[in-house]
Amino acid sequence: MPVLPLLRLNPPTDAARNGSAVLLSTLARLLASGAAASKADLVIATGLARTTVSNAVDQLLAGHLLELDANPPPPVGRGRPAERLRLSPGGGHVLVADLGAHGAHLAVVDLGQRLLAHTHVDCEIADGPDPVLDVVEASLRKLRARLPGPARAMVIGVPGPVDTRQGMPVRPPIMPGWHAYPVSGRLRREFECPVMLENDVNLRALGEARSLPADQAPLLFVKVGTGIGGGLITRAGELHHGADGSAGDIGHIRVRGGPDIRCVCGNVGCIEAVASASAIAGRLPAQPATIADVRALAAHGDPVAVRLVREAAELIGEVVATLVHFYNPARVTIGGSLTAASDELLAGIRAVVYERALPLATRNLVLTTSTLGEYAGLAGATVLGIERALSPSRIKRTLT
Ligand SMILES: [Zn+2]
């Protein structure tokens, strides 16, 4: 089972909702994120009156969303130990699916961030939505079969552009058959809970940002794998979708000076077509070659593979330097399996960014690899799912 750090949950921004739902949501998220563990902590964290906090906590306890921790850690110092609160396992859980090109991480997480079940299944995203979602649904049904409580929310990430409002992929280049397929609608009927469809790199960006201190945002996540994608996290720690959800989709930015290769999107010279791990695989002398071959050769210091990775890093570095100027992130995270196999990619991108970007943009910039690795997507989906289940608009339904 993957081990995820405790993830920060943001307070609700849904200020238009009625006050009591916002209060319940705020307190539940503070407890679910580990930022508070008792009524006293909640009073300090919110600045609200003791009786206000106390009444709301009683409501959450009565609704079985919270419970008293039966095995609290030993008290520090003298005095009566405070009653420790935690999210109740009976309060339900969140279903998580992180789909890549060739496989999916599936997990069930409770509202207190405890990972209850996890599996990885092989499935080809290019087979189309029906066979892939059949596998996702069957595996998740099996994972949650013996778990208490209902599903409160589901989050699914896919490797392509997504209309998050409609819950549908939009002309995803490596996902034939998925355009306008009602992914969220189908899963909502299956699991009878709200479903959020997201781009996979957006989920990684969110997971990474919420596992780090708040001062590491704004954060730009760049994934170099089969394709190249990006995800943007605002200074407040929220996903930046843009007007239509395509913000951060950087794979089809055109680069000069690269090889003249046609991209899956139909254009020529996209960064994804010339510098992704699959582009590097296509340029290895021994063909056919896969991304796994690139990883293995680069890890062993094969001179041709290392040269190709360095060339790709230079092109990616140009794009990242431009984005650093535009967005002034506190942190740029380079993800994808190639970064684990070889230091060349990160080193090459770093060299170009620090050379090209101006001092104010790079003075405090942290440019590094992902701390969560292949589980960053699960982490981001966990954040979105729990925040949804504990949102002002949903929390009263979660009380029983
Ligand atoms: Zn393209």
Side-chain angles (χ1 to χ4, degrees):
M1 291 257 268
V3 179
L4 293 178
L6 213 46
L7 304 161
R8 286 183 298 106
L9 301 175
N10 270 0
T13 49
D14 212 356
R17 296 267 161 193
N18 79 57
S20 75
V22 171
L23 174 60
L24 294 176
S25 169
T26 303
L27 300 185
R29 287 189 188 186
L30 282 166
L31 293 165
S33 70
S38 66
K39 283 183 187 175
D41 291 348
L42 290 170
V43 168
I44 294 166
T46 59
L48 293 168
R50 211 179 163 78
T51 46
T52 309
V53 169
S54 198
N55 289 340
V57 166
D58 289 345
Q59 217 178 319
L60 293 169
L61 284 166
H64 303 107
L65 184 60
L66 295 184
E67 64 178 18
L68 295 176
D69 191 347
N71 300 302
V76 184
R78 275 183 287 177
R80 194 166 63 92
E83 278 183 331
R84 288 178 63 89
L85 301 162
R86 61 174 201 172
L87 275 288
S88 163
H93 48 255
V94 169
L95 306 174
V96 166
D98 183 22
L99 275 57
H102 309 293
H105 280 290
L106 305 170
V108 185
V109 186
D110 79 6
L111 299 181
Q113 298 194 32
R114 287 171 290 250
L115 184 64
L116 303 175
H118 167 264
T119 189
H120 183 272
V121 292
D122 291 328
C123 55
E124 293 296 318
I125 202 90
D127 288 347
D130 283 319
V132 171
L133 293 177
D134 285 349
V135 170
V136 167
E137 287 174 354
S139 307
L140 282 174
R141 272 200 303 268
K142 214 158 112 189
L143 284 184
R144 65 182 288 246
R146 283 186 297 277
L147 297 174
R152 297 296 186 187
M154 172 165 182
V155 182
I156 174 168
V158 294
V162 156
D163 180 334
T164 50
R165 260 163 293 186
Q166 307 266 2
M168 296 175 176
V170 181
R171 303 198 185 289
I174 65 161
M175 299 169 62
W178 289 78
H179 171 63
Y181 186 93
V183 176
S184 292
R186 170 175 167 165
L187 295 168
R188 194 182 309 124
R189 280 191 299 280
E190 170 68 25
F191 295 112
E192 298 176 322
C193 65
V195 176
M196 281 163 283
L197 178 69
E198 259 300 344
N199 167 265
D200 64 337
V201 189
N202 276 355
L203 289 182
R204 286 175 188 234
L206 185 65
E208 198 74 18
R210 297 297 188 88
S211 72
L212 295 164
D215 67 0
Q216 293 300 292
L219 182 144
L220 166 66
F221 193 103
V222 177
K223 183 192 169 200
V224 183
T226 311
I228 291 182
L232 278 177
I233 302 299
T234 66
R235 189 161 191 177
E238 301 288 348
L239 261 173
H240 177 74
H241 283 114
D244 293 301
S246 80
D249 198 356
I250 61 171
H252 305 283
I253 291 177
R254 187 167 186 179
V255 288
R256 310 269 164 204
D260 233 9
I261 301 170
R262 189 163 289 279
C263 178
V264 285
C265 75
N267 293 325
V268 171
C270 295
I271 184 72
E272 173 167 312
V274 300
S276 62
S278 31
I280 296 171
R283 296 175 65 203
L284 284 172
Q287 291 292 330
T290 63
I291 295 177
D293 296 330
V294 177
R295 277 200 302 267
L297 288 168
H300 288 103
D302 172 79
V304 177
V306 168
R307 177 175 56 79
L308 292 174
V309 171
R310 277 189 190 147
E311 284 172 13
E314 209 164 301
L315 295 170
I316 297 167
E318 297 276 345
V319 170
V320 173
T322 306
L323 296 171
V324 162
H325 271 140
F326 183 71
Y327 204 63
N328 189 200
R331 190 178 185 105
V332 175
T333 298
I334 310 293
S337 59
L338 201 53
T339 54
S342 153
D343 296 333
E344 298 289 344
L345 188 70
L346 178 68
I349 294 172
R350 250 192 198 147
V352 176
V353 170
Y354 286 107
E355 187 194 304
R356 295 297 297 262
L358 296 177
L360 184 59
T362 53
R363 194 158 60 186
N364 297 307
L365 175 69
V366 179
L367 203 166
T368 187
T369 50
S370 166
T371 58
L372 300 178
E374 65 173 316
Y375 301 125
L378 283 185
T382 297
V383 168
L384 274 190
I386 295 177
E387 286 189 349
R388 180 63 176 269
L390 301 180
S391 65
S393 56
R394 301 286 314 174
I395 195 160
K396 290 204 170 168
R397 277 180 244 203
T398 310
L399 302 178
T400 52

